[in-house]
Amino acid sequence: MSHILRHMLLVRSLSRVHVVQKLIPSQPNSKSIFQSQVLCQNVCYKCRLLSLQSRSPYQKENSLEFDKPGSGRLLKTQETVRKGLHKLGIILPQNYTKQQLNNSAYVLLNGIYMKVKHAELREHAGLEDSFRCWLNVVYIHLWFLCSRFKQEGRDGEIIITLMMKMLWQDVEDRLEKFEEELKENLSKRKKMKECYTMLHLFFIFLDEGILGSDAMLASSLWNRVYMDNYYQPEIWHLEFLVHYVRFTATWLQDTPMDTLVLQPEAVEWTLPT
């Protein structure tokens, strides 16, 4: 049986060579040489495909991916370029355009300023009406968004980076406004470092608290929100804030990425009932 198969393959290969010889003119020129090269390449490629049919499905799939001209190489090259740019701090979009991500970051950060019910939060959580407490509330909601976007690959990283840039520019502008109104030197650089350190501590404490029990989350919020608060909070103030963090984090995790990017104005920060 094996001798018969070998004979059939030999006859098939000889017939292909005979067909190629007939198609090539007797007097070669530049055009005929080019045609012969193309025909030989086609025949060789078809022979390789026929030889792959006797292999296992896994070998066939992997071999065809590398045997097809140019297949997979462009995607590998693009991914290599993305990784190289990522090491340099340049992140390319993945599923959305740069304009869509920029618009989403701006609308979501502005929604924290305008749509979050700051007055009601201060009342229910027992917070004072000051710039520091206002910034603490902004940090909490910014942590909500960053925790959600960390799961979305490069697009999420781009939105986080854009929101951070907008936040620090806004904080710097507010400090300059305070200097003009108070007519005092607030050492803006020192204040910016304090805000930057406070943000990182907020994210660290909330990351640990949200993964633990309500008591751990309450401890994290107490250390970051109520430690420098002027008013002495009651136990129900802390209980409300723990419930609000759990409720908002769960709601935001269930919000689709398309809504956050393409319809960021639809995001509403509501209080739990």
Side-chain angles (χ1 to χ4, degrees):
M1 188 67 178
S2 60
H3 295 288
I4 298 175
L5 291 175
R6 290 179 183 177
H7 179 71
M8 292 175 64
L9 290 174
L10 180 61
V11 172
R12 183 178 296 179
S13 61
L14 290 175
S15 63
R16 290 196 185 94
V17 175
H18 182 64
V19 172
V20 171
Q21 290 178 351
K22 284 185 178 182
L23 293 174
I24 300 175
S26 59
Q27 296 181 354
N29 50 36
S30 59
K31 184 176 181 181
S32 62
I33 292 174
F34 174 75
Q35 292 177 350
S36 64
Q37 291 177 351
V38 172
L39 289 172
C40 291
Q41 288 178 0
N42 292 335
V43 170
C44 293
Y45 178 65
K46 291 181 179 179
C47 291
R48 295 174 71 181
L49 290 178
L50 291 172
S51 64
L52 289 172
Q53 292 179 356
S54 61
R55 301 183 184 181
S56 64
Y58 300 101
Q59 293 177 344
K60 179 180 177 181
E61 182 180 355
N62 296 333
S63 302
L64 284 174
E65 183 179 357
F66 291 101
D67 288 343
K68 288 181 180 179
S71 63
R73 297 178 182 176
L74 181 60
L75 295 176
K76 292 180 180 179
T77 303
Q78 291 177 350
E79 190 63 27
T80 303
V81 172
R82 290 194 186 99
K83 290 181 179 179
L85 293 175
H86 191 275
K87 292 180 180 179
L88 298 176
I90 303 174
I91 307 175
L92 298 179
Q94 188 172 1
N95 299 319
Y96 305 93
T97 64
K98 189 65 180 261
Q99 184 178 0
Q100 290 174 339
L101 299 176
N102 194 3
N103 178 70
S104 174
Y106 175 79
V107 174
L108 290 175
L109 184 61
N110 189 63
I112 295 177
Y113 296 158
M114 307 301 295
K115 292 185 177 182
V116 172
K117 298 177 175 58
H118 291 272
E120 296 183 20
L121 273 176
R122 287 197 304 269
E123 179 182 355
H124 293 297
L127 301 176
E128 63 180 359
D129 187 6
S130 64
F131 175 73
R132 186 181 184 88
C133 284
W134 174 85
L135 200 57
N136 288 340
V137 174
V138 172
Y139 286 166
I140 292 175
H141 291 81
L142 195 63
W143 173 80
F144 289 144
L145 293 174
C146 290
S147 300
R148 177 65 179 86
F149 286 128
K150 275 294 184 181
Q151 308 172 18
E152 300 298 337
R154 294 194 304 270
D155 293 333
E157 293 185 32
I158 292 174
I159 294 179
I160 292 173
T161 303
L162 292 172
M163 286 193 303
M164 290 300 178
K165 289 181 179 179
M166 296 176 187
L167 173 69
W168 297 130
Q169 183 62 45
D170 178 70
V171 172
E172 186 176 0
D173 294 340
R174 290 175 185 270
L175 291 176
E176 290 180 355
K177 191 67 174 178
F178 290 157
E179 288 183 349
E180 294 177 1
E181 293 182 356
L182 298 176
K183 297 181 180 180
E184 295 181 4
N185 185 9
L186 299 178
S187 58
K188 184 175 62 177
R189 183 181 295 273
K190 182 179 179 180
K191 292 293 184 181
M192 289 293 295
K193 288 183 179 180
E194 292 178 0
C195 294
Y196 184 78
T197 303
M198 188 168 61
L199 174 67
H200 278 268
L201 289 175
F202 242 101
F203 280 23
I204 292 173
F205 274 85
L206 288 177
D207 284 340
E208 293 180 354
I210 198 69
L211 296 177
S213 61
D214 289 345
M216 294 180 61
L217 181 57
S219 176
S220 300
L221 293 171
W222 178 270
N223 288 326
R224 299 317 312 159
V225 177
Y226 293 102
M227 187 62 68
D228 299 327
N229 193 39
Y230 178 77
Y231 300 113
Q232 183 66 29
E234 301 291 344
I235 187 62
W236 57 80
H237 293 149
L238 185 58
E239 182 181 4
F240 167 80
L241 195 57
V242 169
H243 180 49
Y244 178 76
V245 170
R246 295 280 190 195
F247 170 81
T248 308
T250 304
W251 160 75
L252 200 58
Q253 289 295 327
D254 296 335
T255 304
M257 183 63 174
D258 288 341
T259 302
L260 297 174
V261 176
L262 303 180
Q263 298 176 341
E265 63 280 354
V267 176
E268 299 289 342
W269 302 95
T270 58
L271 296 177
T273 56

